Every structure is written in C-alpha cells, then in structure tokens.
Amino acid sequence: MTDFSEFAQVCQKIEKIPGSIETTSIISDFLAQIDDDELYIVAHFIRGKVFPQWSDLEPGIGPNLLYTAIARTAGIKVLDVKNMVRDLGDIGAAARDSLKKKTQVSFSAFFKEESSISIKEVHSRFSDIATSSGRGSQSAKIRNLQYLFSNVSPEEAVYISRLAVEELRIGVGEGLVRDAIAKAFNVDTELVERGYMLTNDLGTVALTARKEGAKGLSNLNIKINRPIKMMLAQIAESIESAVSDIGEVAVEWKFDGARVQIHKDYDHITLYSRRLENVTNSLPELVKKLKQSVGAEQIILDGEVVAVGRNGKPMPFQQLLRRFRRKYDIQQMQEEIPLTLNLFDIMYINGRSLIDLPLTERRKILAVHIQNLEGLTLAEQNITGDTGTIQRIYESALSAGHEGVMLKNPSSLYTPGKRGKNWLKIKPIMETLDLVVVGGEWGEGRRAHLIGSYTLACLDTENNTHLYVGKVGTGIDDKQLKELTLSFKQLVITEKGKELQFEPRIVFEIAYEEIQKSSNYSAGYALRFPRFLGVRADKSPQDADTIERVEQLYIKQGTVYIP
Ligand code: AMP
C-alpha cells in the first residue's frame, strides 16, 4: 500500500526539474514500484486526471466547493481562501498555505503533520464525490474533501486540490506517461501508443504492459461503449499543395457542425461529443434515426451533426451547442433546432476493429451498413486528383453554408487522437482583425515567467472605450513569447494573481475561424480559435479595428440564420 505522500513527492520532484528525460525516469521508477491497483490510478493521477477519459465520471468539484472544504479544514474564512487563490494564482499553493495555518495551531494538540492516507483511499474518496448526486450531495462532497485535507500534510494538499480541479500543473502529458510505461515494463513505445489509441485508457495499458508484456498489448482492442479519441485534421495550404502531397484525394464536404462518435450495441445507442462526453440524452431524434438506419449489431461510427436553419443552411455553432448541452425541454428544442447527421467513417464492427484498414475499405463497409434516411446520410465522397473538380466541390460546400472541404488520403488508416497529414481541411481565409492588447495572464509551470495569454479588444469610438472580444495564446512561438513578455512588462497597470491589465498600446493582428455572438465579452462577440499573426507595429492603438467592423465581419461570414 503506497502513501499519497509518495505520489506528492514524485510531483514535487517533477515540478522542480526541467528535462523530460529525467521526468520519464522518475515516473517510470514510481510506476514500477507500486501495486496493480495503484498503477491503474497513478497512470491517470500523474496527468491530473482522476478517471480515464472514456469514463462518464468526473470529480465535479467547483471552485466554491473546494474553497469551502479548505476553509473548513483550516478553520479560516472562505473569503480568505479565495483571496489567497487570487494572490497566489494557484489553488494548490492556496490550499497548502491555508493548511499550514491549521498545522501551526494544532501542533500543540499533537496534530499529525505526516500523511497517513493511501493513494487508493484518495481515489476512492474522489469516486464517492463523483458519484454522489441529489439532495445532500454538496455536503457529502465537502465532507469527503475535508476528510482528505485533514489527513494530508500541507505539501500534499497542493496535489489533492489540483487533482480536484484536474489540473496538476506539473507539465506531464500523454507522451511522457506513454514513454514511462514503456520504460517501466520494458516494452516498445509503439505498442504502448497503439494500446492507448485502442483503449483510450493509460491505466489499462500500464497494467497490461506489466502483467502481459508486449503480447498482451498487441491483443488490446477497441471496446464498444468505450469511446476512442477522434481522428483530427490539419489545415492544408491549398488544394494544389494537398494534391501534390497526397495524389488522388477523397473529397468530402467539411460540414459546419459538431463531431459525434456513435456506438451501437444491439438496441443501445450512445453518442459522444468531440470531448468524449456522453451526449445521448440530448439528441433523442438521432438515436431514433440511427436505430432505423444502422444495420449491424455492434458498430462504432464517426460523423458530424449539423443544425439546420429554415433557409436550409447550417445554423451558427452556438445554436447547435444549445442542443448538445441541453438537459430539459429537449422535445421543444428538437423543433427549434432540428438536426441532421452526416456519417463519414467507421472504426469497429461486430467485434472487429477497422482502424487498420485504409479509408476506402472502411468507407465500403460503412456504405453497406447505413441506410440513408431523411436527416441521416452517408457523407458524399469523391476520389479525384483533379484540382478543378475539387475547387467545384469546395464552392458547392461554401454555397450550401458549410465550412469547406476535407481532403483525405484514400489509403490512410484511422489514427485516433492524431492530427496528421492524412486529413487535410481547406477553408476560406478569414479577413484578419487588428486588436488592441489590454490585458494578459502569466503562464503555468515552466512558462510561469512568461505572459502566455493576451486579452484582445476592439474600439468603441463612440464611447471612447475598448470592448473585449477574446484572448489569444496560440500562434506565438517561444522567441516571440519572450519578446512580448518583455514589452508588456513595461505596460502593466495592475496585477492580481496571474491576471494583468496593460496600458492599451500594442496592436496584434489576429486570425480566427469564426466570429460568434457571446455574452462573455463586452463587445458581445467572441473570436473562435483566435491565432496570433504578429504585432502591427505600424498601427497605433487608435488605428485598431472597431466594433462596427467586427459586426460587419460577423454578418459577412454568412452564419446569420433565419430563425
Ligand atoms: P477543425 O475542427 O477545424 O479542426 O476541423 C475538423 C473537424 O471538422 C472535425 O473534428 C469534424 O468535426 C469536422 N468535419 C466536418 N466534416 C467532416 C468530414 N467530412 N470529415 C471529417 N471531419 C469533418
């Protein structure tokens, strides 16, 4: 039985060292020494996850709940904890400092500073928290958290609280855990990687590697009702470059909707969102149609759900999301936001994984088992190397209100979770926006000394003020990040925890995928997937884009639907 304190020490060590090779060794040594049950748990804990990604379970611990549990354990006010989080910018550090107060007071009462709680017990308390529901569940959750905090040292509380919010902040990603498993149990990294793709569960992979070695890993397979990660797409430079890279391509419309993975297990249909959340209950009409259309006992399919407006064109993405998140009034919403489903891939049928078959083969199998119905269709696909034909398909997709086209390598395998060169997307280039940077946020872990995210605003010339439209952190390379940090350090007006406010001096050129209506930002609009293109050193803050231009671009992008 391993103490949670040992796990906390591993995290502490990793936090202190910069190199990934050393990190891999620390993790692999730890994985090798713990027992089987602990191995399953730690394979998730070390990435800040309490449960595997395919699982419906999540801790479901909001910040207030956590602050309350910390405050009660430490005998201080919730507001004190909140202030500490704001000042320290980290719930872990706030929990540690809060509990230190308690420890000081309790020393005289022989309060134990040493941990006496095991990894398994921590996991089991989190499971209790995740499964408690209904009346009294909030207090049950707080009690469980209080129990945990009362039985760990302040240093361990750092990781208990970070696990509670599933953000361990020690910079350990899937790749590192994969390498550590391979090293700990002396198996090929590729086999570990493959096992992970099929099971979506590093715990299962670690246990199999330990108990059954390479042979066991090769036998791992996809399981129905355990979602696998979605295969992802890359942006292509142009149709020409895609064809010159791949040759003949399988061309499909890039539907403007949301991804779903469908699992049919006899009469039982389950739908998972792109983030692998179970969204079945909010989409009953799709479940019904799938039951009518799919002619196989067990099957896993990939597709895109589109919300269709009265004009026959896709509704904006946020409308569609209202369907995905809905718990009540589902019947009424079916009429307000009707859905269609376009199926484009198949990964599994009747006990057999199909991911190692080429796309063309998978597509043939898919076609045999799907019966096109109104609102549920097999996505049309053309295999061609003719750029003129592709251009025509692209234009037809755009005029139907969709996003563009996907150009897929016909011989490619289905690679879960991978953003490779086998699926390329072609989309129109959006006009860019020049926006003033009015705030920022310090990074995390190894990037804590850099300003990693920047708050963007457009101008409201009438009221002589700035209106927020979003934040950007993508598209900035390491060198730029250092340079930007140096420049913006001179412009800080206020600093609260990790949040910074700047004098509005610098203008960024920003690319994005879409402008959405949003109540989160004062402009009333938000940029979807904003990307930094560069500093517009030639522009002064007064020359930045205005709210009127944001509005115009919103209308121009053609996603305004007729309700
Ligand atoms: P992006 O979200 O821009 O990275 O583009 C990839 C997404 O396009 C996928 O995750 C799907 O949700 C969506 N998509 C729409 N049509 C297709 C299609 N025919 N094949 C694959 N993905 C598609």
Side-chain angles (χ1 to χ4, degrees):
M1 187 93 83
T2 312
D3 262 3
F4 185 77
S5 60
E6 291 190 42
F7 173 75
Q9 278 162 21
V10 166
C11 296
Q12 251 179 351
K13 259 197 229 165
I14 295 172
E15 233 175 314
K16 281 187 194 136
I17 54 159
S20 64
I21 296 176
E22 219 176 316
T23 308
T24 313
S25 298
I26 296 171
I27 303 173
S28 90
D29 289 350
F30 191 59
L31 295 182
Q33 85 189 38
I34 53 185
D35 76 22
D36 289 352
D37 292 345
E38 290 161 353
L39 177 61
Y40 187 83
I41 297 169
V42 170
H44 301 297
F45 270 13
I46 197 72
R47 289 185 46 230
K49 302 288 170 217
V50 179
F51 305 104
Q53 201 198 4
W54 57 263
S55 155
D56 270 352
L57 287 180
E58 50 182 55
I61 300 167
N64 283 330
L65 203 98
L66 192 53
Y67 300 161
T68 310
I70 295 169
R72 286 194 193 164
T73 317
I76 56 176
K77 292 201 194 95
V78 177
L79 189 64
D80 294 336
V81 180
K82 266 191 195 164
N83 289 340
M84 266 192 247
V85 175
R86 196 200 53 208
D87 296 341
L88 298 165
D90 170 25
I91 180 69
R96 180 194 58 215
D97 289 3
S98 303
L99 291 191
K100 270 189 184 157
K101 298 188 180 186
K102 160 92 178 176
T103 320
Q104 281 156 10
V105 176
S106 322
F107 254 148
S108 54
F110 304 106
F111 185 80
K112 271 193 299 188
E113 206 190 354
E114 283 304 304
S115 158
S116 57
I117 199 162
S118 68
I119 290 175
K120 267 185 235 172
E121 172 125 38
V122 172
H123 187 262
S124 123
R125 293 278 166 173
F126 276 127
S127 302
D128 276 357
I129 292 172
T131 48
S132 61
S133 62
R135 269 185 72 204
S137 66
Q138 293 300 86
S139 12
K141 286 181 183 192
I142 293 175
R143 269 200 311 279
N144 269 311
L145 282 171
Q146 267 185 274
Y147 178 87
L148 289 174
F149 285 125
S150 318
N151 283 286
V152 296
S153 68
E155 290 308 326
E156 290 159 57
V158 173
Y159 303 102
I160 294 283
S161 47
R162 289 191 192 160
L163 274 175
V165 293
E166 294 204 294
E167 249 193 76
L168 207 52
R169 292 185 176 207
I170 56 169
V172 173
E174 284 167 9
L176 270 180
V177 184
R178 180 199 57 205
D179 293 351
I181 294 173
K183 191 160 187 277
F185 308 113
N186 203 13
V187 284
D188 254 12
T189 320
E190 271 104 72
L191 276 178
V192 175
E193 169 78 20
R194 192 193 134 74
Y196 181 45
M197 281 205 310
L198 294 165
T199 60
N200 201 4
D201 187 335
L202 280 168
T204 301
V205 173
L207 264 181
T208 311
R210 168 186 276 174
K211 289 176 146 179
E212 300 166 47
K215 190 149 182 278
L217 285 176
S218 329
N219 287 335
L220 285 176
N221 199 359
I222 293 180
K223 244 196 203 165
I224 204 93
N225 298 329
R226 186 171 62 187
I228 55 171
K229 292 190 186 197
M230 312 265 181
M231 181 162 175
L232 303 169
Q234 259 185 23
I235 294 187
E237 256 171 51
S238 64
I239 293 176
E240 287 72 22
S241 72
V243 171
S244 93
D245 283 353
I246 301 180
E248 283 205 328
V249 286
V251 191
E252 295 166 11
W253 278 9
K254 184 175 188 314
F255 301 100
D256 183 6
R259 189 85 173 263
V260 278
Q261 189 177 106
I262 299 136
H263 288 230
K264 176 175 190 267
D265 187 15
Y266 296 88
D267 252 0
H268 192 73
I269 304 259
T270 315
L271 298 164
Y272 298 96
S273 71
R274 182 177 171 134
R275 294 176 53 202
L276 308 186
E277 289 156 331
N278 186 335
V279 289
T280 319
N281 291 340
S282 21
L283 311 169
E285 73 267 49
L286 296 185
V287 172
K288 196 165 154 212
K289 283 207 180 120
L290 282 158
K291 281 189 182 165
Q292 293 166 357
S293 161
V294 181
E297 286 155 354
Q298 289 190 312
I299 203 162
I300 302 181
L301 306 170
D302 200 348
E304 185 90 349
V305 177
V306 176
V308 197
R310 288 242 195 98
N311 57 3
K313 291 193 172 180
M315 290 182 183
F317 190 63
Q318 296 112 305
Q319 296 286 349
L320 176 60
L321 282 194
R322 286 175 63 208
R323 283 296 314 267
F324 268 64
R325 297 208 181 115
R326 179 122 324 229
K327 290 217 172 82
Y328 310 101
D329 303 328
I330 291 171
Q331 187 66 35
Q332 183 202 328
M333 286 305 272
Q334 288 183 42
E335 283 155 35
E336 217 177 291
I337 305 178
L339 303 179
T340 60
L341 175 59
N342 304 280
L343 297 167
F344 51 74
D345 220 319
I346 177 167
M347 291 83 96
Y348 178 93
I349 190 155
N350 301 335
R352 186 176 154 220
S353 161
L354 303 178
I355 67 168
D356 289 335
L357 291 182
L359 173 61
T360 42
E361 294 298 313
R362 297 202 304 275
R363 172 82 193 190
K364 275 186 212 149
I365 302 174
L366 176 63
V368 171
H369 293 95
I370 303 298
Q371 190 199 331
N372 277 346
L373 302 172
E374 204 191 322
L376 185 152
T377 41
L378 181 62
E380 211 176 301
Q381 189 190 72
N382 280 283
I383 299 198
T384 176
D386 179 45
T387 53
T389 309
I390 300 172
Q391 182 68 32
R392 275 192 295 282
I393 301 173
Y394 171 69
E395 277 156 21
S396 70
L398 291 186
S399 63
H402 289 287
E403 289 183 358
V405 281
M406 299 288 301
L407 306 181
K408 300 182 178 175
N409 184 340
S411 58
S412 61
L413 317 183
Y414 192 97
T415 47
K418 291 275 164 325
R419 194 182 287 283
K421 288 210 163 75
N422 285 321
W423 282 18
L424 296 175
K425 50 188 178 190
I426 304 271
K427 298 204 280 189
I429 298 160
M430 273 282 173
E431 287 180 60
T432 59
L433 278 169
D434 296 332
L435 299 164
V436 190
V437 182
V438 290
E441 209 175 291
W442 290 108
E444 288 180 356
R446 285 170 205 143
R447 292 189 150 198
H449 62 294
L450 295 169
I451 303 171
S453 150
Y454 296 85
T455 311
L456 306 165
C458 61
L459 303 182
D460 176 355
T461 37
E462 220 165 279
N463 298 305
N464 193 21
T465 177
H466 290 106
L467 298 171
Y468 299 148
V469 284
K471 291 181 179 183
V472 70
T474 346
I476 311 175
D477 64 31
D478 286 350
K479 189 166 161 260
Q480 287 168 327
L481 207 57
K482 278 186 199 143
E483 287 167 5
L484 289 175
T485 302
L486 279 179
S487 317
F488 279 103
K489 266 187 179 171
Q490 322 288 323
L491 301 177
V492 174
I493 306 173
T494 61
E495 181 163 359
K496 270 191 195 159
K498 290 195 330 181
E499 302 278 333
L500 302 161
Q501 201 196 341
F502 301 137
E503 275 178 50
R505 293 262 194 89
I506 298 179
V507 177
F508 278 3
E509 184 178 10
I510 300 292
Y512 51 90
E513 292 213 341
E514 194 189 356
I515 299 175
Q516 300 179 325
K517 286 241 181 218
S518 165
S519 50
N520 291 340
Y521 294 106
S522 53
Y525 294 96
L527 304 181
R528 189 170 173 229
F529 301 133
R531 197 156 33 88
F532 171 84
L533 293 182
V535 173
R536 285 297 303 255
D538 56 326
K539 281 201 165 182
S540 70
Q542 297 86 312
D543 303 328
D545 280 317
T546 59
I547 180 70
E548 286 78 20
R549 181 162 144 80
V550 174
E551 252 155 12
Q552 273 166 9
L553 287 172
Y554 172 75
I555 294 165
K556 220 167 96 183
Q557 72 191 1
T559 51
V560 180
Y561 82 102
I562 304 156

